[in-house]
Amino acid sequence: MKVCIHRGTQEVGGTCIEIEAERKRLVLDVGLPLNVEPSIRHLPKVKGFREPDEALVAVVLSHPHQDHFGLSRYLQPDVQMIMGAAAEGILKASALFTPTGATFRHVLHLEHGKKLDVGPFTITPYLNDHSAYDAYSLLIAADGQRLFYSGDFRGHGRKSALFEQFLKHPPSNVDVLLMEGTTIGRSGSEGKFKTEQDLEQEFVRRSTILRGWCIFR
Ligand SMILES: [Zn+2]
C-alpha cells in the first residue's frame, strides 16, 4: 500500500489523501482549504479527478464539512463516490444554497461497522462524535496492510459514547495512522472542554436570566 497526502499536513483543512494498492487507487476526502474560494484550480492533481481513469476505484468523503468535501463538485461525474447516506442528503440539499454543495451520479453509503469492498480495498467505517452529522473514521485494508484515517472527531459531543466505545475496542494491527488534530486543548479551559450538555444547561440558565430581565422591565 502506498499513501500520498496531497493536502492537509501543513494547514488546517483541505484534506486529500490518495492510497494505492495493486495498481488501483482510493482517495479519502477532497477538502476545500479554509483560506481559498471554491475553484477547480484548487482540485489536487489526481488521475481520475478531471477525466475518467479506471485505476481510481472511488473517492470517500469522511463527513459533510467543507474542508473535507468542498472540492468534490469539480470531480468528473463518473467517479464512484462513497459517503454516509445522511451526508449525501446534506450535500444534495446544500447544493441549492452554497457554492460547495454537490450531487453525485454514483454513490455507495458508509454504515458504522459494515465492511465495504471497493477494488482491492476493504473499508470499515466507524461512526464518529463530531460537529458534522454522519462523520466517519475509516479503516482501509489492502495489500495485507491496514491504514486508519481518523477523519474529524471529538469526545465531548452528543455522540461521545461512540468515542468511549472506540477507545475500548480500537482496530488492531494498524500499520499506518493518519489523524486529524486541530484542537488538543484550549487556553483557559483548564484542560477540560465543556460538553454539549454543559453548554445546553448554560444556554438554559442564560435564557432564564434574560427572561427574568424582560419581565422586570
Ligand atoms: Zn469536520
Side-chain angles (χ1 to χ4, degrees):
M1 188 190 290
K2 290 184 191 166
V3 180
C4 175
I5 302 175
H6 288 277
R7 193 182 285 138
T9 57
Q10 303 295 319
E11 66 269 276
V12 175
T15 309
C16 184
I17 302 152
E18 185 177 11
I19 303 171
E20 185 180 325
E22 299 177 26
R23 296 173 184 260
K24 299 290 183 186
R25 293 174 292 110
L26 180 74
V27 171
L28 311 180
D29 286 337
V30 195
L32 175 70
L34 298 180
N35 57 350
V36 301
E37 293 297 315
S39 163
I40 195 168
R41 287 186 298 120
H42 303 303
L43 191 64
K45 291 183 174 38
V46 173
K47 280 185 186 168
F49 271 13
R50 291 170 174 79
E51 67 297 310
D53 185 321
E54 64 174 26
L56 180 67
V57 294
V59 172
V60 189
L61 301 181
S62 63
H63 68 284
H65 267 163
Q66 287 195 13
D67 59 333
H68 288 257
F69 78 81
L71 293 172
S72 58
R73 67 176 305 171
Y74 301 115
L75 298 173
Q76 58 91 6
D78 283 326
V79 173
Q80 175 65 63
M81 303 299 297
I82 302 176
M83 66 199 81
E88 185 193 7
I90 290 166
L91 296 200
K92 199 182 279 184
S94 66
L96 287 170
F97 309 106
T98 73
T100 52
T103 55
F104 303 104
R105 199 176 283 173
H106 310 290
V107 185
L108 293 170
H109 289 146
L110 299 169
E111 287 178 53
H112 180 57
K114 192 171 169 187
K115 286 185 175 147
L116 186 62
D117 290 319
V118 201
F121 304 96
T122 299
I123 304 169
T124 308
Y126 290 75
L127 186 64
N128 272 344
D129 181 27
H130 186 42
S131 55
Y133 190 70
D134 210 17
Y136 295 88
S137 296
L138 304 163
L139 177 66
I140 313 290
D143 262 353
Q145 293 179 306
R146 285 151 69 89
L147 175 148
F148 188 81
Y149 170 50
S150 70
D152 284 0
F153 65 98
R154 63 182 181 181
H156 59 283
R158 293 189 182 281
K159 294 195 182 100
S160 58
L162 287 171
F163 183 61
E164 298 300 329
Q165 192 180 11
F166 178 82
L167 293 181
K168 280 182 193 154
H169 306 286
S172 57
N173 301 321
V174 170
D175 298 288
V176 176
L177 170 65
L178 300 179
M179 191 167 79
E180 294 282 353
T182 53
T183 312
I184 309 285
R186 192 165 275 168
S187 58
S189 63
E190 294 171 357
K192 182 182 178 298
F193 277 124
K194 286 183 178 173
T195 65
E196 294 287 307
Q197 285 79 5
D198 290 339
L199 289 169
E200 184 177 289
Q201 283 170 15
E202 196 168 324
F203 282 136
V204 169
R205 188 181 63 78
R206 288 179 182 238
S207 301
T208 308
I209 291 168
L210 186 64
R211 195 174 60 206
W213 180 79
C214 289
I215 290 167
F216 290 123
R217 290 276 291 185

